[in-house]
Amino acid sequence: ANGHTRRSSSVVRIAKADGARTVIIPEQIIDIDDALRGGGFTGVQVDGTSLFALFESMPAADGTLTVQVQQVDLTKPGISTVVYETTVDRNISQLAMLGAVDGAIVLSRVEYETEGDMRAVRSASVIVVPATGSGPRFAADYPKDYPGNDLVSDDNRIYWLNSSGRLYGFPRTALR
């Protein structure tokens, strides 16, 4: 309608053994103006019995949109809780989920600068939302660089690779 794309977005688990489907987060319908720029569920991570899903709302007329991280206890699918919410101007910002470790969510927020039709990374931040619910914390900031779309962990640390090829990490204790 009106040059928009109607998108249906949900989170569904498909069993490897028999292909059985389980709805983890029920379908949400949104209208988006650019089908290639996200909207709906754009990232999913599983940590133990918790699933975390990044959801982008429909953009407002000014380009801002609400982004949520929803958590579901996989032993009780269908019921999600918003554990983090923020507003971004999608013309100059983007939020992505890097991973979930020890019940904490690790996010990346990239800020862009624009000149005409060109867009370049101005800066990026790594944000940790602890499992304790104590509120988000900035773990790292980078000028003209940004984290990739994943992280890995060992017993003591978590790591991610930035677009520059540099490897970063910090202690798992910082996730609390």
Side-chain angles (χ1 to χ4, degrees):
N2 300 334
H4 289 119
T5 299
R6 177 152 285 181
R7 177 170 286 165
S8 167
S9 190
S10 61
V11 177
V12 177
R13 180 191 315 180
I14 302 172
K16 290 181 182 179
D18 60 6
R21 295 172 181 255
T22 303
V23 174
I24 305 299
I25 302 178
E27 177 180 78
Q28 297 182 43
I29 307 293
I30 60 172
D31 291 321
I32 54 176
D33 58 0
D34 184 347
L36 300 176
R37 290 194 65 189
F41 291 102
T42 61
V44 174
Q45 296 284 329
V46 174
D47 182 37
T49 60
S50 291
L51 177 136
F52 299 95
L54 189 76
F55 182 82
E56 295 180 352
S57 70
M58 292 184 286
D62 65 357
T64 60
L65 54 90
T66 301
V67 182
Q68 298 177 334
V69 176
Q70 298 179 20
Q71 180 179 8
V72 176
D73 178 343
L74 290 172
T75 64
K76 302 173 194 166
I79 303 168
S80 64
T81 303
V82 175
V83 294
Y84 179 73
E85 181 174 291
T86 191
T87 301
V88 299
D89 179 341
R90 72 179 199 153
N91 297 311
I92 59 171
S93 291
Q94 180 179 357
L95 193 72
M97 192 168 6
L98 296 177
V101 177
D102 300 337
I105 306 123
V106 183
L107 304 166
S108 164
R109 182 172 177 144
V110 178
E111 301 292 328
Y112 299 99
E113 54 191 2
T114 58
E115 188 174 317
D117 290 340
M118 300 298 293
R119 187 166 94 157
V121 173
R122 179 175 57 85
S123 64
S125 301
V126 174
I127 303 166
V128 174
V129 181
T132 60
S134 60
R137 295 190 308 256
F138 286 87
D141 288 302
Y142 306 101
K144 302 201 181 294
D145 198 5
Y146 59 94
N149 291 326
D150 201 6
L151 58 83
V152 295
S153 62
D154 61 25
D155 289 343
N156 301 311
R157 300 179 64 78
I158 66 167
Y159 306 90
W160 63 89
L161 189 65
N162 271 17
S163 65
S164 62
R166 292 189 176 114
L167 181 66
Y168 292 94
F170 61 84
R172 285 176 82 147
T173 55
L175 298 173
R176 297 185 192 120

